[in-house]
């Protein structure tokens, strides 16, 4: 390539912006231009000329390599044998990291929910003691936005930073357990609440950060409509949200070098706008899958939205759902054809001071055991009889009951180890039942046995500000 | 004693330091050792398995807290605290007296015992030496402490002498009440405030009781460090060399190094685990407040020489990100701080065994304080033949400063 090094002429788009940002913007614009019009299209060369002068050579080389590797290695791959548009299905996610080897997750399954990149209550050496967890972790970028906007933080890769080992890393924007939000989005950015005020997530800058953070999969930012209440302007608002989300998705597709991109399916409670969102997604072939993130809606509305859109999507692609972590919701999502939910429910059970006991087929089991109950005080048996988790094989109900009463943090550590183990076991049962062709039948018996309000821990967590081990009496769950 | 065998493995040829093995009913501990405090039968979010990995030999339980929750009946039903908390190494319990006097407003000491108001129902209750031992027998720790008449280390006058003699009488009542001498050890406590004469009488009286080990109490209560080390030194001079010596409530790194030179074998302190909750990580130069902005982009571990699971994996930048927001992140620092204490004690033991403890002390002080060292440390070390003010073979020496504490090394 014969490009003369010269002072870059004044660019009216960036009167005061520093060199770095302009370098990236031009590289990004070139990629986007080429993707849309092809390498032969002359106007694209204007961007190339600009970034060649603005960017250090090492950067260009690094970005070019990342783009090539992505194509060569096919890092992310999803496969399902089912061809039907909707209904439960088995599948397999594979990540190929070349020399580091391959990872496989059998679906239906879940993403391990994290807070600040760590499993709730569990430091890595305790978390790895829980066998057979799927090797796939969910991180939300909002946990890392406090005090500074994203582009002002110098991160290493997320895997390195949060010590995620060999796990597949899925980077989303928002924490699925938080329902009430105040930050609003605007034309050019997604607004995210943080302790340091509202942060602006600009999709093009986020795409640049993603290339640094290096997740295997990234969920595109979207303009979520947070108010569940219908209003006079709702139709207009949702229509805007669909249009913005598609634009932001395109920014991500153009700017993300080698992570697989998942696209949020938008449209809230409007059938027409849901169809429009799906229609727009159907023309973007380079997305790796879909995400349903209608966490602000009531559970029944979330399912309605899922059922509206899912059958119209490309059935060969991965389908994830946020806000479907509770066992009954997860089961309904799976019955509709969702491949992945997240494990935030296990955390919500722990926050109540409870131990999960539900099973897909064990109709005599309660949904949970309340470790606060007085009867636990001198019960030296395991949290749940027959459980083989690290907590149940070492510690008693009486000990955990004592720890809760003493507001000791080991209570939530031991409960979380049990609840997460229990959650993954539920998914083992779902996959087995699906293989045997008995899932519809088993699910019907499950809903019958547990009823409609057996799994409301996530709703409690949404309203509860403190953990059960907090010393503040009135904020504790009684 | 049937429940404790103390083997001195090596004696420092310069100072009074020694490295020993202490065979307890549940575990053989290596001394000098630090014992993390697990007030309620648990150490701040750390599992018993992690504590073993961290090389903890003995941990502490607080009798006052355990006596009210889960209570002695339940602990007996569970088969003791070891079984209840699934910890099969050493345990030590205090008498409960100190907690009462320090935590409760209405504590009144009589010859019978400590009278106090039950915070749960407002009724007046009494903790006698017999009851303290009874509670500790139910808890079942390897080492129990006598109930003593606690006075603040800042108290002066006849009250100090009264407390010293009363503690002796309470010890004799405790020994009589002890029901499990073949499974549990009862340690008496040297008292006498900051008065050399009273301390001497106390220590001399205690050794007549032929106890399995002895504690040095009534210190670490805000007294001048110059008095602190002199009281420790005086006590270890009198206490027998073939029994373990436990200095209560001591846990700062420099205190551990100095007191070990004075011949102390055991320590406990809430400081390392408590300070972790506030995001402070211990290092040989002092401590790092990881919530400070300067660690935002610091991609090095807390301590590159530390082999704990936190330092092997996480950077200061990561810990900064969530240290004040997630309890899980505090667990990471708690793990490091316990590992820090344990590694320091291992280094002390190794240096004693290899008879290079004076050199270890000097290199520790050089790292921790640099060119100036608090005077009490200079004086304490001089009393055991280590003179920091004279250059060693590496050329290091320090001058004394008149402050008891020095936060950062003076380089
Ligand atoms: Zn279990
Ligand atoms: Zn460490």
């Amino acid at each position: 390539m014969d490009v003369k090094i010269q002072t870059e002429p004044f660019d009216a788009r960036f009167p005061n912006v520093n060199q770095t940002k302009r370098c990236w913007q031009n590289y990004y614009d070139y990629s986007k231009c080429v993707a849309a019009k092809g390498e032969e299209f002359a106007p694209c060369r204007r961007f190339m000329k600009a970034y060649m002068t603005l960017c250090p050579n090492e950067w260009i080389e690094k970005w070019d390599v990342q783009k090539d590797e992505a194509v060569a290695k096919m890092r992310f791959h999803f496969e399902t044998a089912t061809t039907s548009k909707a209904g439960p299905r088995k599948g397999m996610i594979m990540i190929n990291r070349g020399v580091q080897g391959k990872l496989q997750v059998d679906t239906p399954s879940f993403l391990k929910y994290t807070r600040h990149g760590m499993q709730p209550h569990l430091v890595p050496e305790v978390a790895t003691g829980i066998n057979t967890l799927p090797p796939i972790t969910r991180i939300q970028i909002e946990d890392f936005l406090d005090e500074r906007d994203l582009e002002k933080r110098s991160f290493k890769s997320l895997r390195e930073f949060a010590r995620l080992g060999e796990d597949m890393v899925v980077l989303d924007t928002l924490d699925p357990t938080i329902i009430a939000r105040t930050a609003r989005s605007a034309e050019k950015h997604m607004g995210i609440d943080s302790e340091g005020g509202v942060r602006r997530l600009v999709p093009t800058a986020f795409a640049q950060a993603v290339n640094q953070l290096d997740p295997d999969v990234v969920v595109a930012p979207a303009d979520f409509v947070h108010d569940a209440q219908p209003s006079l302007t709702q139709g207009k608002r949702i229509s805007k949200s669909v249009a913005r989300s598609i634009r932001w998705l395109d920014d991500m597709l153009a700017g993300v070098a080698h992570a697989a991109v998942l696209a949020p399916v938008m449209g809230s409670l409007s059938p027409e706008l849901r169809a429009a969102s799906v229609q727009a997604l159907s023309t973007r072939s380079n997305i790796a899958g879909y995400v349903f993130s209608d966490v602000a809606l009531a559970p029944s509305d979330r399912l309605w939205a899922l059922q509206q859109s899912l059958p119209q999507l490309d059935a060969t692609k991965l389908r994830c759902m946020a806000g479907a972590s509770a066992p009954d919701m997860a089961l309904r999502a799976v019955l509709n054809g969702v491949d992945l939910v997240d494990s935030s429910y296990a955390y919500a059970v722990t926050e109540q001071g409870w131990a999960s006991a539900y099973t897909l087929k064990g109709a005599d089991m309660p949904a949970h055991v309340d470790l606060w109950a007085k009867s636990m005080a001198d019960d030296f048996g395991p949290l749940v009889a027959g459980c083989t988790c690290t907590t149940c094989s070492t510690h008693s109900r009486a000990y955990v009951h004592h720890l809760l009463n003493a507001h000791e943090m080991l209570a939530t550590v031991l409960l979380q180890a049990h609840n997460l183990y229990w959650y993954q076991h539920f998914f083992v049962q779902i996959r087995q039942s699906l293989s045997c062709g008995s899932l519809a039948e088993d699910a019907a018996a499950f809903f019958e046995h547990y009823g409609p309000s057996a799994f409301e821990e996530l709703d409690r967590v949404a309203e509860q500000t403190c953990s059960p081990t907090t010393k503040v009496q009135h904020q504790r769950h009684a | 004693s049937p429940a404790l065998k103390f083997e001195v493995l090596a004696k420092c040829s310069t100072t009074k330091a020694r490295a020993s093995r202490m065979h307890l009913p549940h575990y053989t501990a290596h001394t000098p050792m630090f014992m993390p405090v697990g007030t309620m039968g648990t150490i701040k979010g750390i599992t018993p398995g992690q504590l073993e990995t961290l090389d903890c030999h003995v941990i502490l339980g607080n009798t006052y807290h355990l006596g009210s929750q889960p209570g002695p009946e339940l602990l007996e039903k569970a088969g003791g605290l070891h079984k209840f908390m699934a910890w099969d190494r050493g345990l030590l319990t205090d008498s409960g007296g100190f907690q009462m006097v320090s935590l409760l407003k209405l504590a009144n000491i009589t010859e019978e015992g400590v009278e106090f108001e039950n915070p749960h129902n407002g009724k007046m209750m009494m903790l006698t030496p017999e009851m303290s031992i009874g509670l500790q027998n139910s808890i079942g720790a390897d080492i129990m402490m006598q109930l003593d008449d606690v006075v603040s280390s800042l108290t002066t006058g006849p009250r100090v002498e009264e407390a010293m003699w009363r503690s002796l009488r309470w010890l004799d009542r405790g020994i009589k009440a002890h029901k499990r001498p073949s499974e549990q050890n009862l340690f008496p406590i040297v008292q006498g405030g900051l008065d050399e004469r009273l301390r001497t009488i106390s220590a001399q009286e205690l050794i007549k009781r032929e106890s399995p080990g002895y504690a040095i109490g009534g210190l670490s209560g805000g007294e001048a460090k110059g008095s602190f080390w002199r009281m420790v030194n005086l006590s270890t001079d009198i206490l027998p060399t073939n029994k373990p010596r436990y200095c209560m409530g001591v846990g700062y790194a420099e205190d551990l190094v100095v007191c070990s030179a004075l011949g102390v074998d055991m320590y406990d302190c809430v400081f390392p685990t408590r300070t972790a909750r506030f995001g402070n990580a211990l290092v040989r130069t002092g401590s790092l407040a990881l919530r400070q902005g300067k660690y935002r982009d610091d991609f090095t571990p807390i301590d590159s020489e530390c082999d704990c699971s936190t330092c092997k994996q996480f950077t200061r930048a990561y810990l900064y990100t969530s240290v004040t927001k997630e309890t899980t992140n505090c667990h990471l620092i708690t793990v490091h701080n316990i590992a820090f204490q344990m590694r320091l004690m291992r280094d002390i033991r190794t240096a004693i065994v290899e008879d290079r403890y004076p050199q270890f002390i000097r290199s520790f002080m050089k790292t921790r304080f640099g060119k100036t060292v608090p005077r009490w440390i200079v004086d304490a070390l001089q009393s055991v033949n280590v003179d920091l003010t004279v250059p060693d073979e590496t050329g290091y020496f320090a001058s004394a400063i008149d402050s008891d504490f020095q936060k950062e090394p003076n380089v």
Side-chain angles (χ1 to χ4, degrees):
Chain A
M1 190 70 52
D2 190 16
V3 179
K4 257 177 48 195
I5 302 295
Q6 57 177 55
T7 313
E8 175 59 19
F10 177 76
D11 186 339
R13 295 180 301 165
F14 311 108
N16 307 306
V17 181
N18 66 36
Q19 191 105 334
T20 312
K21 204 163 172 186
R22 287 171 59 197
C23 143
W24 165 255
Q25 188 65 46
N26 280 289
Y27 184 88
Y28 161 81
D29 286 341
Y30 175 70
S31 313
K32 202 170 164 180
C33 183
V34 165
K37 309 279 182 179
E39 259 181 70
E40 304 312 313
F41 189 63
C44 295
R45 291 189 56 85
R46 191 173 79 84
F47 298 120
M48 183 201 248
K49 206 176 144 199
Y51 81 71
M52 293 294 274
T53 47
L54 286 165
C55 306
N57 276 333
E58 316 87 88
W59 293 18
I60 300 172
E61 276 165 31
K62 193 180 163 199
W63 292 338
D64 284 347
V65 165
Q66 286 176 340
K67 256 162 98 179
D68 289 349
E69 272 179 356
V71 179
K73 280 200 210 152
M74 294 278 293
R75 233 163 69 151
F76 173 89
H77 182 67
F78 175 70
E79 205 169 293
T80 177
T82 320
T83 49
S84 60
K85 286 280 192 185
R89 62 184 195 171
K90 294 193 78 175
M92 193 165 62
I93 306 167
M94 277 171 293
I95 291 283
N96 186 348
R97 288 209 203 91
V99 280
Q100 289 173 312
K102 287 180 184 165
L103 273 178
Q104 185 185 320
V105 175
D106 292 319
T107 61
S109 191
F110 60 91
L111 305 164
K112 282 178 289 191
Y113 167 72
T114 61
R115 300 170 68 82
H116 287 97
M118 192 134 30
Q119 306 252 356
H121 305 298
L122 306 175
V123 299
E125 72 249 37
V126 177
T128 52
I130 308 168
N131 289 323
T132 62
L133 290 177
I136 185 164
T137 294
R138 180 196 205 275
I139 289 194
Q140 49 271 352
I141 199 67
E142 77 166 314
D143 287 355
F144 299 99
L145 290 181
D146 285 356
E147 294 182 44
R148 278 191 186 188
D149 287 334
L150 189 64
E151 56 270 28
K152 291 183 195 133
R153 292 214 57 180
S154 60
F155 277 121
K156 294 195 160 184
S157 86
L158 270 177
R159 179 187 319 287
E160 179 100 7
F161 190 60
R163 279 296 153 176
L164 303 167
E166 291 302 303
D167 263 24
M168 235 181 259
V169 179
V170 178
L171 179 63
D172 205 336
T173 46
L174 301 178
D175 185 323
T177 65
I178 300 170
I179 293 168
R181 290 181 179 278
T182 53
R184 293 289 172 258
S185 293
E187 225 26 51
K188 293 206 167 111
H189 67 259
M190 179 176 181
I192 297 181
D193 299 298
S194 84
E195 279 172 29
V198 174
R199 297 286 149 220
R200 298 171 169 195
L201 191 77
V202 180
T204 49
F206 183 46
Q208 184 185 2
V210 164
N211 293 333
Q212 185 75 29
L213 296 170
D214 197 30
D216 296 295
V217 180
V218 62
V219 178
D223 178 17
F224 296 110
V225 180
H226 295 307
D227 3 61
Q229 304 291 326
S231 73
L232 286 173
T233 54
Q234 189 84 353
K236 223 169 161 184
R237 176 72 189 89
I238 299 168
S239 151
K240 206 193 268 174
S241 115
V242 171
R244 274 179 190 166
S245 302
I246 284 294
R247 214 167 52 240
W248 294 353
L249 173 66
D250 285 339
D251 288 344
M252 292 295 286
L253 289 171
V256 171
H258 63 312
V261 177
L262 301 182
V265 183
M266 308 296 290
S268 195
L269 291 175
S270 155
E272 299 77 33
L273 291 167
R274 292 207 75 87
S277 172
V278 168
Q279 173 59 33
L281 294 180
S282 68
T283 61
R284 271 101 182 147
S285 60
N286 46 347
I287 54 177
Y290 311 99
V291 180
F292 292 85
S293 296
D294 301 292
V295 293
L297 300 179
S300 57
D301 290 339
R302 275 175 238 166
L303 286 167
W304 175 87
L306 178 74
Q307 286 159 344
Q308 281 283 307
S309 305
L310 185 135
Q312 301 161 37
L313 297 169
D314 180 350
T316 64
K317 289 179 177 171
L318 183 69
R319 302 150 174 176
C320 304
M321 187 167 177
S325 183
D328 52 351
M329 272 297 277
L331 197 48
R332 288 197 165 92
V334 166
L335 287 170
N336 278 290
V338 167
D339 304 303
L340 284 176
V341 296
D342 66 74
S343 65
S344 51
Y345 173 75
Y347 162 71
V349 179
T350 298
E351 292 304 290
Q352 305 313 309
W354 297 348
S356 292
Y358 58 88
T359 65
L360 183 58
K361 293 190 189 184
D364 55 336
M365 296 291 273
H368 62 257
V369 176
D370 180 359
L371 272 305
W372 283 105
K374 284 215 163 60
S375 60
M376 298 292 151
D378 59 351
D379 187 336
F380 296 106
L383 273 52
V384 174
C387 179
T388 53
C389 83
T390 48
T391 299
C392 291
S393 45
T394 324
H395 297 285
S396 64
R397 288 176 166 185
Y399 185 53
V400 176
H401 175 81
H402 160 70
L403 294 174
L404 282 171
N405 276 306
H407 314 302
E408 281 287 354
M409 288 168 293
L410 190 60
T412 44
V413 173
L414 297 178
L415 284 170
Q416 180 67 7
H418 167 85
N419 289 327
L420 194 56
Y421 175 83
W422 203 262
Y423 196 71
Q424 67 79 29
H425 191 63
F426 182 61
F427 276 83
V428 172
Q429 295 165 24
I430 289 178
R431 288 193 296 273
Q432 276 168 358
S433 174
L434 193 51
S435 295
C436 302
S438 61
L439 187 63
E441 200 183 308
D442 291 340
F446 179 88
F447 296 134
E448 169 78 29
H449 176 62
Y450 289 109
S453 53
F455 305 103
E456 290 178 335
E457 290 91 336
L458 277 158
D459 304 323
R460 286 167 175 259
V461 160
E463 287 155 19
Q464 174 183 336
T465 49
C466 290
S467 186
T469 51
T470 180
K471 302 257 182 200
V472 187
Q473 200 82 18
H474 70 273
Q475 283 169 323
R476 258 171 46 225
H477 166 71
Chain B
S1 140
L4 189 151
K5 207 173 112 216
F6 190 69
E7 259 184 289
V8 178
L9 301 177
K11 280 183 181 160
C12 173
S13 57
T14 307
T15 70
K16 293 198 281 176
R18 65 258 190 88
S20 319
R21 260 203 301 254
M22 182 166 65
H23 303 270
L24 295 168
H26 288 86
Y27 199 69
T28 297
H30 294 233
T31 66
M33 72 166 162
F34 177 81
M35 305 177 285
V37 180
T39 300
M40 294 290 241
T42 160
I43 288 170
K44 302 295 161 207
I46 308 297
T47 67
Q50 284 175 286
L51 290 173
E52 277 187 27
T53 309
L54 285 165
D55 196 29
C56 295
H57 296 186
V58 177
I59 60 173
L60 238 80
N62 287 121
T63 296
Y64 169 72
H65 291 98
L66 290 164
S68 58
Q69 223 175 53
E73 297 81 16
L74 192 91
L75 283 169
E76 261 174 42
K77 225 167 148 182
L81 182 60
H82 280 98
K83 283 206 178 120
F84 186 61
M85 68 178 290
W87 172 249
D88 52 18
R89 295 190 175 182
L91 268 175
L92 183 150
T93 44
D94 63 3
S95 67
F98 176 75
Q99 246 83 22
M100 254 167 228
V101 175
S102 59
L103 295 181
L104 303 177
K105 277 173 242 149
L106 296 166
N108 181 32
I109 293 159
T110 66
E111 188 56 30
E112 181 60 14
V114 185
E115 198 185 21
F116 65 100
E117 191 190 79
N118 184 325
H120 300 290
N121 57 20
K123 280 187 194 154
M124 289 311 283
M125 294 178 70
M126 174 75 84
L127 180 77
T128 64
E130 291 80 7
M131 287 162 67
S132 169
I133 297 299
L135 280 170
Q136 295 188 73
N137 278 154
S138 304
I139 297 168
D142 300 70
I143 298 171
M144 311 186 293
M145 302 307 298
Q146 73 153 111
L147 184 69
D148 52 355
D149 180 359
V150 183
V151 288
S152 158
S153 57
L154 303 175
T155 306
T156 51
R159 177 72 185 96
V160 183
E161 176 149 16
E162 178 195 43
M164 188 273 287
W165 288 112
R166 182 173 288 145
S167 293
L168 272 173
R169 293 191 292 276
W170 285 3
L171 168 66
D172 292 332
R173 284 166 59 186
I175 292 172
K176 219 181 261 173
H178 184 10
K179 286 191 213 71
R180 304 171 63 185
S182 60
E183 297 147 293
Q184 291 181 276
N185 300 287
L186 174 56
F187 279 25
I189 304 171
V190 180
Q191 285 291 2
L194 306 178
D195 186 317
E196 288 189 19
R197 183 183 66 91
L198 297 179
R199 284 253 162 208
T200 307
I201 298 172
S202 175
Q204 279 167 346
E205 283 295 325
L206 295 186
I207 58 181
K208 291 182 195 159
R209 271 76 175 177
E210 300 266 340
S211 296
Y214 298 90
I216 301 163
L219 298 173
S220 291
E223 72 280 2
K225 286 292 210 173
S227 310
F228 163 77
W229 80 260
R230 285 186 175 84
M231 292 303 117
V232 172
N233 196 35
L234 180 147
S235 307
T236 54
D237 273 344
I238 301 168
L239 294 173
T241 54
N242 62 346
K243 304 266 175 84
R245 304 144 169 179
Y246 162 32
C247 191
M248 301 170 81
V250 166
Y252 294 134
E254 55 266 32
D255 295 12
L256 298 172
V257 172
V258 171
C259 290
S260 295
L262 300 178
V264 176
D265 308 296
M266 303 158 64
Y267 309 91
D268 80 284
C269 190
V270 293
F271 165 71
T273 42
R274 182 171 290 168
T275 201
R277 310 313 307 169
F278 300 105
N280 301 320
L282 302 177
V283 289
R284 289 272 165 106
T285 51
S287 86
L288 310 177
L290 289 164
R291 60 193 179 282
Q292 289 174 354
K294 62 178 171 181
Y295 298 115
R296 182 185 281 126
D297 297 318
D298 184 344
F299 294 99
T300 60
I302 296 170
D303 178 353
S304 55
E305 276 164 38
C306 178
D307 61 356
C308 82
S309 54
T310 301
C311 289
K312 274 193 283 187
Q313 302 188 77
F314 294 97
T315 59
R316 296 171 179 183
Y318 177 77
L319 296 166
Y320 158 82
T321 298
S322 52
V323 78
T324 52
K325 293 155 207 148
E326 302 289 341
T327 56
T328 323
N329 221 297
C330 291
H331 298 341
L332 292 175
I333 302 175
T334 304
V335 164
H336 165 79
N337 283 0
I338 294 174
F340 173 86
Q341 299 288 103
M342 296 303 145
R343 188 160 61 98
L344 175 63
M345 300 318 290
R346 267 199 308 278
D347 288 353
I348 290 174
R349 291 195 295 267
T350 311
I352 298 169
V353 169
E354 294 171 359
D355 202 13
R356 47 173 185 80
Y357 194 53
Q359 290 91 318
F360 174 83
I361 295 173
R362 300 186 73 101
S363 90
F364 174 88
M365 294 303 167
K366 185 183 176 188
T367 308
R368 174 67 187 85
F369 295 110
K371 286 189 280 199
T372 52
V373 174
R375 184 172 306 283
W376 75 271
I377 293 176
V378 173
D379 292 347
L381 292 173
Q382 236 157 21
S383 81
V384 287
N385 315 311
V386 176
D387 193 343
L388 293 179
T389 62
V390 174
D392 60 11
E393 57 268 34
T394 70
Y396 171 69
F397 70 98
S399 50
I401 51 162
D402 280 324
S403 158
D404 276 356
F405 301 99
Q406 180 184 321
K407 235 182 144 204
E408 300 279 324
N410 173 11
V411 285

